Amino acid sequence: MGILDGKAIVVTGAGRGLGEAYAVHAALAGASVVVNDVDADLAERVAENIGLHGGRAVASAHTVADPSEAEKIVDLCTTEFGRVDGLVNNAGLNYETPPWEDDPDTIRRVVEVNLLGVVYTGMAAMRAMREQGGGGSIVNISSGAFLGQRKLATYSATKGAVVSLSSSWALDLEPEGIRVNAVCPVAHTRMVWQSERSLRAIPADRTPSKVAPLVLFLLSDASEGITGQIVRCNGRQLHLVGHPHFKQPILESDLWDTASVERAFTGVLQAHLEPFGLEKRMPPRLRELVEPSRTA
């Protein structure tokens, strides 16, 4: 018996890479799978491969970026398999450029797929789950880039929004028994590594299949009671990512004018400035304090 026996799962962006790994592993674990990808040929190939190995799958070429199309992805699952028990919101676009060279049309496409696509497909899935009596799991694929990464401002912003969205949904859907978690996978895929040569050189611990077991667990009943979490997996490492929080010390004043704000930042708050970005870069003011002591 597989961990997903009897479940019906939708995986978006499943034509290759991480999405294909999630879809194939879900089928091998006993699930019936809707393999969604805007590239119809890729979706059909993955669905056929699942069928050849004894699994159940149907292909969908609808786009998540259109709410009516997103609805059709979920409707296909209920029509073909009778219900929807899980959704993996994986479809996404990458976009790398210095922020001052951002292209508005490309920004719009990235936001429509990476953020609105998650919203539209998630809404359709949660409505279906509620109509069938509640219960189910939504796994939204984010990225460690949501912490901030060079030349990935738009992509990072959408992935940060997915994390916030997941937390809000987790609160709203807990009474319905629907779990919502965000996964930040690290794997070498075509979206990140463009050349065939680099893809052939993928380290064994950075292949998409190394991340799939985490997603399967979150889709399964074994993850009951786990919701609202951000989980990062890079093949070798598995850990939770902390949610933003109000940091101590919290200073109080009857009136914050610019002079008192400056005193706060040159005094107590200066020592508590946060490293920023995925690379945890120190703010210049802190570097100025640390570097002289290193050379002394």
Side-chain angles (χ1 to χ4, degrees):
M1 292 182 64
I3 194 171
L4 297 180
D5 271 351
K7 294 193 179 297
I9 305 295
V10 174
V11 183
T12 68
R16 60 188 180 191
L18 284 163
E20 178 181 6
Y22 303 149
V24 170
H25 280 71
L28 291 174
S32 300
V33 183
V34 172
V35 179
N36 165 258
D37 200 287
V38 289
D39 190 321
D41 291 340
L42 291 179
E44 289 287 355
R45 178 185 59 81
V46 174
E48 288 174 6
N49 183 48
I50 289 172
L52 289 173
H53 289 82
R56 294 184 68 196
V58 61
S60 156
H62 301 98
T63 175
V64 299
D66 181 288
S68 63
E69 294 265 299
E71 188 87 34
K72 290 175 183 176
I73 300 170
V74 175
D75 287 347
L76 181 61
C77 189
T78 56
T79 299
E80 292 288 329
F81 307 129
R83 56 186 294 111
V84 55
D85 300 291
L87 165 65
V88 183
N89 262 320
N90 173 75
L93 298 175
N94 196 14
Y95 175 43
E96 182 173 332
T97 188
W100 54 88
E101 294 180 4
D102 258 340
D103 171 64
D105 289 336
T106 306
I107 290 172
R108 187 175 296 105
R109 286 195 297 273
V110 172
V111 171
E112 286 173 347
V113 174
N114 292 12
L115 175 55
L116 296 181
V118 171
V119 173
Y120 298 150
T121 314
M123 288 172 58
M126 66 181 71
R127 283 196 294 262
M129 290 173 182
R130 293 181 74 249
E131 288 172 4
Q132 64 198 23
S137 175
I138 297 174
V139 179
N140 292 327
I141 304 302
S142 182
S143 167
F146 88 87
L147 296 168
Q149 195 165 348
R150 296 174 189 267
K151 296 184 178 181
L152 290 176
T154 298
Y155 177 81
S156 298
T158 62
K159 293 303 183 179
V162 166
V163 166
S164 297
L165 184 76
S166 301
S167 299
S168 294
W169 281 359
L171 292 169
D172 289 327
L173 294 171
E174 184 183 359
E176 311 287 342
I178 301 171
R179 306 183 304 283
V180 186
N181 293 285
V183 167
C184 299
V186 180
H188 291 204
T189 65
R190 190 179 302 273
M191 187 173 80
V192 178
W193 298 83
Q194 299 296 327
S195 74
E196 292 294 337
R197 181 178 180 183
S198 62
L199 286 168
R200 288 196 297 270
I202 294 175
D205 61 351
R206 288 295 178 91
T207 59
S209 63
K210 297 296 184 180
V211 181
L214 166 61
V215 173
L216 264 61
F217 167 76
L218 293 174
L219 289 171
S220 76
D221 294 339
S223 66
E224 183 180 354
I226 299 175
T227 193
Q229 303 304 302
I230 313 166
V231 193
R232 184 173 182 268
C233 179
N234 69 4
R236 295 179 62 85
Q237 298 177 335
L238 177 69
H239 61 92
L240 299 175
V241 179
H243 286 265
H245 63 281
F246 298 117
K247 185 176 177 179
Q248 297 289 342
I250 299 174
L251 308 183
E252 293 190 15
S253 174
D254 291 335
L255 174 66
W256 287 107
D257 57 18
T258 53
S260 58
V261 170
E262 182 180 359
R263 286 195 299 273
F265 274 91
T266 55
V268 175
L269 293 185
Q270 179 165 273
H272 295 275
L273 294 175
E274 284 280 298
F276 61 94
L278 188 60
E279 62 191 66
K280 296 297 182 185
R281 185 167 178 80
M282 296 289 282
R285 183 172 290 193
L286 284 184
R287 292 203 304 273
E288 291 169 2
L289 293 175
V290 172
E291 288 169 2
S293 64
R294 288 178 177 173
T295 58

